[in-house]
Amino acid sequence: MATISAPTSATELSLRSYREESLAHRHDFPQLVLPLSGQLELDVAGRQGVADAATGVFVEPGAAHATSAAGANRALVLDLPSAMVNAELMEQLATRPFVPLSQAAGKLVDFMVLMLEQQQKIALAQLQHWVPLLLDTLAMTAPRPPSRLHLLMARIEAEPGLPWSVAEMAATASISPSRLHEWFQQEAGATPRAWLAEVRMRRACELLRGSALPLSEIAQRCGYADQSALSNAMRKLRDTTPAAYRRALPR
């Protein structure tokens, strides 16, 4: 029986189709299989069932499982880092591996699939912030602090040009600024301001590489007051200037 190694520290998301042949295997990381169309027949550690668009499947680490499909099918599969699923959540999902999808969970899955289909590379990074909320929604629990923080991070990454301040970030997450600092240190290993600065710089670099936009517009889209502010930030974080960065790109 094949054993598959764990993913990296980030969740691996993929869109897959399964064949009629059933191949038993196991892996040392948690996995979610969320069918989008068709039906999948699964045996997870001796528990047999059918998954479809209304029922997902959770596979705990080390559980022998087999998947087969009688017809056309498509599924969103999440290979999760073990650290993302705490002991309580692991026990809850492992006890009942065939998980009914609520309307809220279904909409989250639809959103994640749309993101993957439209912008694969960017989506794989941004969707990391939505996975904790999906897990909480499947478990039918109130969003845990990590989920609330990752929702805030997802919103900021989607709109880095907004005038984000620590106070605004804390208000969006419905917590105090001091608690926000604690959350960021625990989850991101950085202060909110440092994390925001890096998000804006990454977006600026993406636009410098992938567009011919004027530097002034890139600055505006990424939350800098003007082109000079963008240049100062880039010198500090990347030890170069926007113009020099763009000139150094392969042609």
Side-chain angles (χ1 to χ4, degrees):
M1 181 180 297
T3 300
I4 304 173
S5 300
T8 64
S9 58
T11 298
E12 295 182 4
L13 299 96
S14 59
L15 298 172
R16 305 180 192 173
S17 295
Y18 291 87
R19 296 179 297 181
E20 183 175 354
E21 299 84 0
S22 178
L23 176 65
H25 65 285
R26 67 174 79 238
H27 40 66
D28 54 7
F29 54 87
Q31 183 182 70
L32 271 174
V33 180
L34 304 168
L36 306 171
S37 62
Q39 289 187 334
L40 302 178
E41 295 182 2
L42 292 101
D43 183 317
V44 181
R47 297 184 180 92
Q48 298 178 347
V50 175
D52 53 26
T55 306
V57 182
F58 178 78
V59 182
E60 65 179 312
H65 59 285
T67 308
S68 62
N73 65 91
R74 192 166 181 247
L76 173 65
V77 179
L78 289 76
D79 294 340
L80 303 160
S82 295
M84 183 170 287
V85 186
N86 62 32
E88 181 181 356
L89 184 58
M90 182 78 73
E91 182 178 2
Q92 179 181 347
L93 294 175
T95 302
R96 299 179 61 187
F98 293 88
V99 186
L101 299 185
S102 65
Q103 184 177 15
K107 288 187 179 299
L108 274 173
V109 171
D110 290 343
F111 169 77
M112 297 171 83
V113 171
L114 182 63
M115 287 282 288
L116 282 172
E117 290 176 336
Q118 290 186 344
Q119 43 184 355
Q120 177 80 16
K121 186 175 181 180
I122 297 176
L124 288 174
Q126 293 185 348
L127 288 178
Q128 300 299 321
H129 300 311
W130 293 91
V131 175
L133 179 63
L134 176 61
L135 289 172
D136 288 346
T137 305
L138 291 176
M140 300 183 70
T141 60
R144 295 167 293 162
S147 300
R148 291 165 60 190
L149 176 61
H150 281 282
L151 281 176
L152 170 65
M153 296 166 86
R155 180 174 175 184
I156 293 172
E157 288 194 344
E159 301 179 294
L162 293 180
W164 294 104
S165 64
V166 172
E168 178 67 24
M169 294 163 72
T172 301
S174 301
I175 56 172
S176 68
S178 61
R179 187 65 174 141
L180 182 73
H181 275 272
E182 293 178 12
W183 284 8
F184 264 95
Q185 290 291 355
Q186 292 171 0
E187 292 293 315
T191 66
R193 289 186 184 279
W195 180 85
L196 174 62
E198 183 59 31
V199 167
R200 286 174 166 168
M201 183 52 57
R202 286 202 308 268
R203 181 60 57 84
C205 290
E206 289 172 1
L207 292 174
L208 287 168
R209 290 194 303 269
S211 76
L213 291 172
L215 299 184
S216 58
E217 185 171 346
I218 290 177
Q220 180 181 11
R221 290 191 181 193
C222 297
Y224 299 100
D226 51 33
Q227 182 177 330
S228 177
L230 169 61
S231 296
N232 290 336
M234 198 161 196
R235 287 192 187 95
K236 179 179 179 180
L237 296 176
R238 296 294 188 271
D239 195 27
T240 187
T241 65
Y245 182 90
R246 193 171 249 174
R247 286 196 300 269
L249 293 173
R251 299 185 182 279

